[in-house]
Amino acid sequence: MPANFLAELVACLGQPVAENPTGAMQEAAFQALGLNWRYLTIEVPPAKLHEAILGVRAFGMRGVNLTIPHKVAVMQYLDEIAPDAAVIGAVNTVRCDGDRLIGENTDGKGFLRGVHVDAGLNPRGKRAIVLGAGGASRAIVTELALAGVADLLVVNRSASRAEPMVAQLAAKTQLAIRFQPWVGNYRVPADAEILVNATSIGLYPDVNAMPPVDFSEASPNLLVCDAVFNPPETRLLEAAKRRGLPVLDGLSMLVYQGVIGFQLWTGLHPPENVMKRALRAALGIGC
Ligand code: NDP
């Protein structure tokens, strides 16, 4: 067989991007399957994004991840946007189909897969509450709506951000998503079955911050999820565990968005456990 020194390339484009751990889990997955693929973590300033995407095309790369601040801006440079990414209005993963660059969003799908696989819950027909109205919330709210939740409430501090988001996502997903302003301690109602913190409260370095929620009326089956993955054991999840509630940490969403990306790029079955272990090791967390 003739030698082949040509590696397939994927990358993460962002700014700042140096602390993004996704490369560690993708590289581990490539190695585990013996693939000659490389995942590059590349700092790209906003003014250079278009050139960077032209580079993706010129290098014949197999795909890219986009992170802050490129998730919305990249859409104008792509050939096609997947339907759910179009609803979310942001792209975190690009896959290449021949010469065509297709924008996907795996953040909300990754969250949903964690709910199914790690928490063992099917959200269809459930009553869900999402705290926050930023990018993570848009992705999670969209996928929960598309997954057929019965009721979806967004609770957010600023109405000016949440109201247009809720109106837009409700129209696009055909679900009567509701909004409630976050005033003081939010008391989680007894009929809620899924609660998601999609705010940045509790994110490193502000690790002692806790979203102002009150679990005193919560059902013992309420699944409490946190999008914050650094640290994975947030004050919110600690408080939920103390009440004996089931929890799902932000590492689950992070791993599964990568798992789905790997599958989109390679078409192969991802080595999920390898990816989970590599991510935890990259973040300095024990297994
Ligand atoms: P954004 O900056 O887009 O949104 C932040 C949200 O948090 C807003 O709704 C904001 O409310 C709210 N918020 C921030 N501080 C406070 C506060 N003190 N009190 C009340 N509300 C507050 O961030 P993202 O949506 O991009 O990210 C949110 C979190 O999700 C981050 O921790 C991020 O790391 C995590 N994330 C995790 C992923 C994973 O794979 N696990 C993937 C993507 C994100 P307001 O509108 O009132 O300002």
Side-chain angles (χ1 to χ4, degrees):
M1 205 170 81
N4 180 5
F5 298 107
L6 197 62
E8 302 292 347
L9 297 179
V10 285
C12 179
L13 312 180
Q15 186 183 49
V17 78
E19 291 182 13
N20 191 301
T22 301
M25 71 172 154
Q26 298 293 358
E27 288 270 323
F30 297 149
Q31 270 179 23
L33 296 195
L35 299 176
N36 187 14
W37 284 53
R38 299 286 179 281
Y39 187 103
L40 308 172
T41 299
I42 306 175
E43 181 120 336
V44 176
K48 299 277 185 189
L49 180 62
H50 190 195
E51 288 170 52
I53 297 298
L54 291 175
V56 169
R57 293 183 192 273
F59 292 167
M61 293 176 72
R62 301 298 289 266
V64 283
N65 284 134
L66 285 310
T67 185
I68 291 172
H70 303 317
K71 288 185 182 185
V72 176
V74 74
M75 296 173 77
Q76 63 191 306
Y77 306 126
L78 305 178
D79 302 302
E80 189 181 326
I81 307 292
D84 59 343
V87 173
I88 294 165
V91 158
N92 78 330
T93 302
V94 171
R95 67 182 169 90
C96 304
D97 184 4
D99 287 342
R100 293 177 61 73
L101 300 188
I102 301 167
E104 306 266 356
N105 196 311
T106 65
D107 280 335
K109 285 195 184 98
F111 167 76
L112 214 54
R113 184 146 168 182
V115 172
H116 278 281
V117 176
D118 291 347
L121 185 81
N122 183 349
R124 177 167 293 279
K126 299 286 189 296
R127 303 177 72 83
I129 297 168
V130 178
L131 308 173
S137 170
R138 282 188 80 90
I140 290 169
V141 167
T142 299
E143 298 297 347
L144 282 171
L146 296 176
V149 291
D151 187 70
L152 191 44
L153 173 69
V154 172
V155 177
N156 196 54
R157 177 179 60 180
S158 67
S160 58
R161 174 134 66 161
E163 273 173 348
M165 177 189 102
V166 165
Q168 193 191 34
L169 296 186
K172 289 186 175 173
T173 62
Q174 309 284 304
L175 182 74
I177 305 168
R178 297 177 294 124
F179 164 64
Q180 182 175 326
W182 197 341
V183 185
N185 247 12
Y186 175 67
R187 186 169 295 177
V188 183
D191 61 358
E193 292 163 292
I194 302 170
L195 176 81
V196 190
N197 174 37
T199 75
S200 43
I201 304 172
L203 179 64
Y204 179 85
D206 209 4
V207 298
N208 286 322
M210 156 97 182
V213 296
D214 172 354
F215 288 126
S216 59
E217 287 178 5
S219 146
N221 296 322
L222 173 74
L223 174 65
V224 180
C225 314
D226 209 325
V228 172
F229 64 84
N230 183 16
E233 181 88 359
T234 58
R235 288 275 310 277
L236 177 73
L237 296 190
E238 280 172 8
K241 277 186 187 170
R242 276 198 302 276
R243 297 191 70 90
L245 304 176
V247 299
L248 183 67
D249 68 28
L251 281 182
S252 165
M253 175 172 170
L254 186 63
V255 161
Y256 289 121
Q257 61 79 26
V259 161
I260 296 166
F262 181 97
Q263 204 158 17
L264 288 171
W265 294 328
T266 66
L268 299 173
H269 186 70
E272 292 185 10
N273 286 334
V274 169
M275 296 176 80
K276 282 180 191 172
R277 273 200 303 275
L279 183 67
R280 295 186 82 89
L283 292 170
I285 304 161
C287 286

